[in-house]
Amino acid sequence: MRSLLSALAALVLLLAPQVASAKSGGRVDTLAHRDALIHGIAGDEDYVFVTEPGIGVATDGPRVVALDRDSGRQKAVIPAPPGGFKLPFTLRAPGDGRLVVLDAGGFPPQGPPIVYDYAYRTDRKGKLHAKLTRTVDFAGNPLGFAEDVEVLPNGEYVVSESVFGGLWLIGRDGKVRPGLVPAAPDQPLPGLAGCPFLGSNHTVGGLPFAAPGNFAPGAGSLAVHGDELYLSSTCVGGVQKLKLATLRDGSRPAAERAAEIVTVAPRRNDLESLKGITFDPYDAKDPWIYAGDPFRRQLIRIHSRTGKREVLSKDAKRFDFTVSTAFLPPERRHGRSTLVTASDQEYRWSVLNIALTADQFRPPFVIAEYHKR
């Protein structure tokens, strides 16, 4: 009888709907499905903000939406700036009812990147109100494609640019200045510039993959931790870092300072681009860098001191080319923070994967949650 009951219990567990378990602890589930392609993500105690760039699979044009943190239901659309968004790409929610939006200028770029600051609040009826408070236009500066924006501890912003390969700073006064950028397009900075992809005959999710022009972008995802800026690059792979003091030091040539970029985790695969790198700002004892590993359709973490990698989940449906992540604050005192992710299936877009003759998107697009143990 005991053996029969054990067998029946095993069968029930096998057939029951499962919440995906992570390989290195934690739990994974789904917060929301979106009909349109998504890219950037950020959030707070009440909301998860997501960009819908209006490319690939689009339903309502380029916009930023606010979702309920608990249910995933859409609560509001962030009001567009005058003239509208061109390509709302990445987000930051640095607290105090603030939202930072990087508009990459279109794809391909139809103008310079712009960084928008919003202030938002919730009224007594639970309605979200957002107001544009600052616009920083990169017009007149030599940027190809802006990949990410990060908020630094002193209130400055840093923006990564992946075509020429560089890091730009926005001061608290809203003025743009070079952080670590090449002196000229034909003088690329090691660790920041783009380059050809390594290897050939690549596949992603069972599909052949080839990038336009075989170009692997340079400086991409950004994360700040203490007095250091961490970055990932498709060209270099893995994760690198540099001192914020080095980034700000305009007294020395960029080429000299770029030599101080340090490898945290070396490239592991020819086809590699770690996206949405982030630290848990709500757990000072957590040394790990969390990231999407989109070409392998999984969620990983990397030890910031040793470079050790661990796979958190190989759930390819929830992490189907994860490009951005963000930690949300704990919902109760002494609770655990939650990591939310956005995956855009971009390897299924024939514009970015020229090995395809037609788009192969499989909507909906998933916003997933990883709950730490």
Side-chain angles (χ1 to χ4, degrees), residues 37-50:
L37 183 145
I38 57 179
H39 193 279
I41 197 165
D44 64 9
E45 295 88 348
D46 302 310
Y47 302 105
V48 172
F49 300 97
V50 180

Side-chain angles (χ1 to χ4, degrees), residues 19-176:
V19 174
S21 60
K23 297 298 181 181
S24 296
R27 188 183 83 251
V28 173
D29 53 25
T30 299
L31 174 66
H33 292 112
R34 303 297 295 176
D35 293 330
L37 183 145
I38 57 179
H39 193 279
I41 197 165
D44 64 9
E45 295 88 348
D46 302 310
Y47 302 105
V48 172
F49 300 97
V50 180
T51 62
E52 296 181 351
I55 56 177
V57 177
T59 54
D60 293 291
R63 64 181 187 170
V64 180
V65 297
L67 311 179
D68 182 84
R69 169 175 172 165
D70 295 322
S71 68
R73 291 192 298 268
Q74 183 172 312
K75 299 285 286 185
V77 176
I78 301 301
F85 290 114
K86 290 184 178 178
L87 189 76
F89 208 57
T90 58
L91 300 171
R92 291 295 188 275
D96 301 322
R98 295 170 53 210
L99 181 66
V100 181
V101 183
L102 170 63
D103 188 324
F107 188 84
Q110 302 161 15
I114 299 175
V115 173
Y116 297 106
D117 283 272
Y118 284 85
Y120 66 90
R121 63 179 179 84
T122 305
D123 65 22
R124 293 180 180 179
K125 296 182 179 180
K127 184 177 180 180
L128 177 68
H129 299 268
K131 179 181 179 181
L132 180 63
T133 59
R134 188 177 76 166
T135 299
V136 178
D137 194 326
F138 278 79
N141 292 294
L143 281 79
F145 188 82
E147 287 273 354
D148 202 4
V149 61
E150 177 64 300
V151 179
L152 302 181
N154 69 348
E156 292 184 310
Y157 298 172
V158 59
V159 172
S160 59
E161 193 282 319
S162 62
V163 175
F164 305 121
L167 301 170
W168 292 81
L169 289 165
I170 300 174
R172 286 173 292 184
D173 58 2
K175 293 182 179 180
V176 176

Side-chain angles (χ1 to χ4, degrees), residues 39 89 147 217-221 232-234 273-278 290-295 299 321-325 346:
H39 193 279
F89 208 57
E147 287 273 354
S221 182
S232 61
S233 160
T234 305
S273 180
L274 304 184
K275 296 290 188 179
I277 63 171
T278 191
Y290 296 79
D293 184 1
F295 285 119
L299 184 69
F321 216 88
T322 297
V323 289
S324 61
T325 73
E346 65 185 59

